[in-house]
Amino acid sequence: MLDRQTEVGRQTEVATSVAECTRLRELEETYCSHGDTVHYTQEPKIFERCEGSFIYDDEDRAFLDLQMWYSAVNFGYANPRLNEAMRRQLDRLPQVASQYLHREKIELAAEIAEGALARFGHKGRVHFNVGGAQAIEDSLKLVRNACDGKSLMFAFEGGYHGRTLGASAITSSYRYRRRFGHFGERAHFIPFPYHFRGPRGMTKEEHGHHCVQQFARLFESEYNGVWDPKAGKCEYAAFYVEPIQGTGGYVIPPPNFFPELKEVLDRHGILLVVDEIQMGFYRTGKLWSIEHFGVAPDIIVFGKALTNGLNPLSGLWAREALINPQAFPPGSTHSTFNANPLGTAVALEAMRMMQEEDFATSVAEKGAHFLDGLKELKAKHAIVGDVDGLGLALRVEICEPHDSFTPSKAIVDRMVDEALKGDLVHGGERFGLVLDIGGYHKNVITLAPSLTISHAEIDLALALMDQLFTRVTPR
């Protein structure tokens, strides 16, 4: 009798859940803008709660999240320590206008600036905002101010820096600009060393060197369009780079690429602006991903994981010469919510965690474990054309099985939908997977799991992906 009552109760809960989900979807369809990225899928998933590496739907089914809010939740969902830091701030100083100071802003800026001095040998200052694209906008002001108003920038093919108007101008995808008029200050886009789809017969290092030489030739003659040799001046002010391309598909360049590129930039007086919005805060095993390449940036832009996805906070660090109060005086840029105390309090606690825990070692170990498993999946499944990774920034390029090279967006789209059904079985339990799509051809699964993911959870991810690859492979 009890089992019967239990089953009836469960069916009632499911029916109630379905009815509520239907109600919410009707409201969303009527009142929510479709201008964001939600409606890339036909019927977007509604989630109810989250914890650690998992997010749960209204039936309390666990979905292992392998993208963690586009790398914003590096330290796990509902991280107790960071949540408690926000509660403490909420009870003490939850709000203060950005024209005034508070302790957390000052200490956080000092922490980031002192770390940059130790890593790159340059004194600098920090300016905060609320979102990655907004921090990119601030950096564009900083660059134009420092370069006598020059408004043209270099950026990479496959690069992504945001979707505000200024950020769209230096993001290579025309799709983000097409409906918003002519962008007279659109960046000059330079090829990135994407070895898997680069010229055949080259090593990674040779391909990286080739890409630098293609860029360097722009300065050989005034008729190549960017350089006045008589004045020794470039028409372009800065080069915006992601050391590891994010939306472009987690493309990882060879170690010689950025040192060689930096030599060209320094020779021609071009600033290096490093976008660490997605890769910063130990995603790759170092605080800043540019550290892997041994070059010193002029500006670093950051965001996302700084607050573990809690109260939004972003910002930039810049060399003293670019951002000192004489060069960039009060009022040069402003946001009502920049340096908000809830954000800075959580960020300061996150920075303390990064000092206390050896993420450099643990992320490298977990990333190597994950990548080894992905290589095994590549050997097993013809739809996997390429795998690569640096720390816990990993890529799986999905291709047509007949040649393991032709990009297959269709298979990836099907894979994401199947993963969200929540019916993959492991150890007698049902799971779903949260995956993100990137890449030049939208055929790359970009993996950004929590930095606190366990080795057992990595093994679970690999087992579920194995099932998923089998399920979506064309017969």
Side-chain angles (χ1 to χ4, degrees):
M1 184 65 178
L2 183 60
D3 289 344
R4 172 66 178 161
Q5 289 176 340
T6 301
E7 178 60 20
V8 170
R10 190 191 70 80
Q11 291 178 0
T12 301
E13 287 179 3
V14 170
T16 302
S17 175
V18 170
E20 175 65 3
C21 188
T22 300
R23 184 186 74 85
L24 290 172
R25 289 193 185 282
E26 290 174 352
L27 289 173
E28 194 271 345
E29 178 65 25
T30 304
Y31 297 114
C32 291
S33 162
H34 288 199
D36 52 24
T37 59
V38 170
H39 288 272
Y40 281 171
T41 56
Q42 281 292 96
E43 197 168 272
K45 191 77 178 175
I46 299 175
F47 288 108
E48 286 290 326
R49 68 181 186 90
C50 57
E51 183 178 1
S53 293
F54 294 89
I55 190 164
Y56 297 82
D57 66 10
D58 56 353
E59 296 180 36
D60 212 38
R61 183 167 297 171
F63 290 74
L64 179 57
D65 196 335
L66 297 180
Q67 62 106 344
M68 299 304 287
W69 204 355
Y70 322 118
S71 189
V73 191
N74 280 8
F75 309 108
Y77 284 119
N79 183 285
R81 181 168 170 181
L82 296 177
N83 285 5
E84 181 56 32
M86 176 165 277
R87 290 188 192 98
R88 288 196 305 269
Q89 192 68 26
L90 195 60
D91 289 338
R92 189 177 66 81
L93 182 69
Q95 296 121 328
V96 64
S98 57
Q99 74 188 81
Y100 304 114
L101 289 171
H102 61 280
R103 177 189 302 275
E104 290 76 17
K105 171 191 175 177
I106 297 167
E107 291 183 347
L108 178 61
E111 179 69 37
I112 293 170
E114 288 171 359
L117 176 61
R119 287 172 172 83
F120 305 118
H122 293 305
K123 183 182 183 304
R125 296 171 187 258
V126 173
H127 184 93
F128 293 110
N129 210 312
V130 290
Q134 288 77 15
I136 288 288
E137 296 283 344
D138 286 343
S139 75
L140 287 165
K141 275 191 168 183
L142 205 62
V143 167
R144 291 170 68 149
N145 180 65
C147 298
D148 299 322
K150 288 182 186 177
S151 60
L152 297 181
M153 311 294 158
F154 291 113
F156 281 124
E157 294 176 6
Y160 178 88
H161 303 286
R163 300 190 204 185
T164 55
L165 287 173
S168 294
I170 57 173
T171 290
S172 67
S173 176
Y174 173 52
R175 178 167 65 91
Y176 301 136
R177 293 187 298 275
R178 182 180 59 82
R179 288 172 293 106
F180 305 109
H182 178 65
F183 283 66
E185 293 164 351
R186 199 205 78 162
H188 188 322
F189 296 109
I190 306 297
F192 194 79
Y194 183 3
H195 184 250
F196 181 64
R197 299 208 173 273
R200 300 296 89 184
M202 286 186 179
T203 66
K204 264 194 166 185
E205 288 71 20
E206 289 169 341
H207 187 208
H209 178 70
H210 172 73
C211 288
V212 172
Q213 291 309 302
Q214 289 298 105
F215 175 62
R217 70 171 292 278
L218 295 177
F219 302 91
E220 290 177 356
S221 161
E222 66 183 275
Y223 293 102
N224 290 352
V226 305
W227 180 246
D228 180 351
K230 292 185 177 180
K233 298 287 185 181
C234 181
E235 190 174 10
Y236 292 74
F239 203 137
Y240 274 74
V241 312
E242 295 168 284
I244 311 299
Q245 290 200 320
T247 300
Y250 284 20
V251 183
I252 300 166
N256 63 309
F257 177 68
F258 278 112
E260 292 184 21
L261 180 68
K262 186 65 160 60
E263 288 181 12
V264 178
L265 299 181
D266 289 347
R267 197 156 58 239
H268 298 98
I270 301 164
L271 297 174
L272 177 63
V273 183
V274 174
D275 180 340
E276 293 276 1
I277 293 166
Q278 189 162 163
M279 293 297 157
F281 307 109
Y282 286 99
R283 167 58 52 200
T284 64
K286 293 185 181 293
L287 182 68
W288 308 118
S289 61
I290 194 65
E291 293 180 64
H292 291 280
F293 304 98
V295 300
D298 296 294
I299 298 171
I300 299 172
V301 184
F302 53 83
K304 288 191 187 293
L306 179 59
T307 64
N308 204 45
L310 295 174
N311 227 59
L313 188 72
S314 66
L316 61 84
W317 168 90
R319 289 192 296 105
E320 179 75 5
L322 305 176
I323 201 172
N324 70 71
Q326 289 70 46
F328 204 64
S332 295
T333 187
H334 171 77
S335 169
T336 298
F337 299 106
N338 70 12
N340 64 85
L342 291 178
T344 54
V346 175
L348 193 57
E349 191 69 17
M351 295 297 291
R352 293 190 186 110
M353 286 173 55
M354 291 179 235
Q355 290 180 335
E356 295 166 8
E357 300 182 38
D358 188 3
F359 284 108
T361 298
S362 65
V363 168
E365 288 176 348
K366 291 173 184 178
H369 179 185
F370 211 146
L371 185 57
D372 284 345
L374 293 176
K375 289 176 180 177
E376 292 178 9
L377 293 181
K378 179 179 181 294
K380 182 177 178 180
H381 297 277
I383 63 170
V384 182
D386 182 55
V387 298
D388 202 356
L390 185 61
L392 284 169
L394 302 136
R395 74 189 311 269
V396 182
E397 182 146 356
I398 303 299
C399 303
E400 294 294 337
H402 72 275
D403 64 359
S404 301
F405 183 75
T406 302
S408 185
K409 181 180 184 299
I411 293 178
V412 169
D413 287 343
R414 192 159 66 250
M415 188 181 298
V416 171
D417 290 340
E418 289 293 324
L420 286 174
K421 287 181 178 178
D423 61 354
L424 299 167
V425 179
H426 184 77
E429 294 184 60
R430 289 191 171 196
F431 293 94
L433 280 174
V434 176
L435 303 173
D436 197 35
I437 300 174
Y440 292 35
H441 305 281
K442 298 303 176 195
N443 70 314
V444 178
I445 299 295
T446 53
L447 302 174
S450 166
L451 306 189
T452 58
I453 191 172
S454 67
H455 284 270
E457 288 169 344
I458 292 173
D459 291 338
L460 172 62
L462 292 165
L464 297 178
M465 290 172 73
D466 189 12
Q467 290 181 44
L468 192 59
F469 293 168
T470 299
R471 183 183 292 187
V472 302
T473 296
R475 298 288 183 241

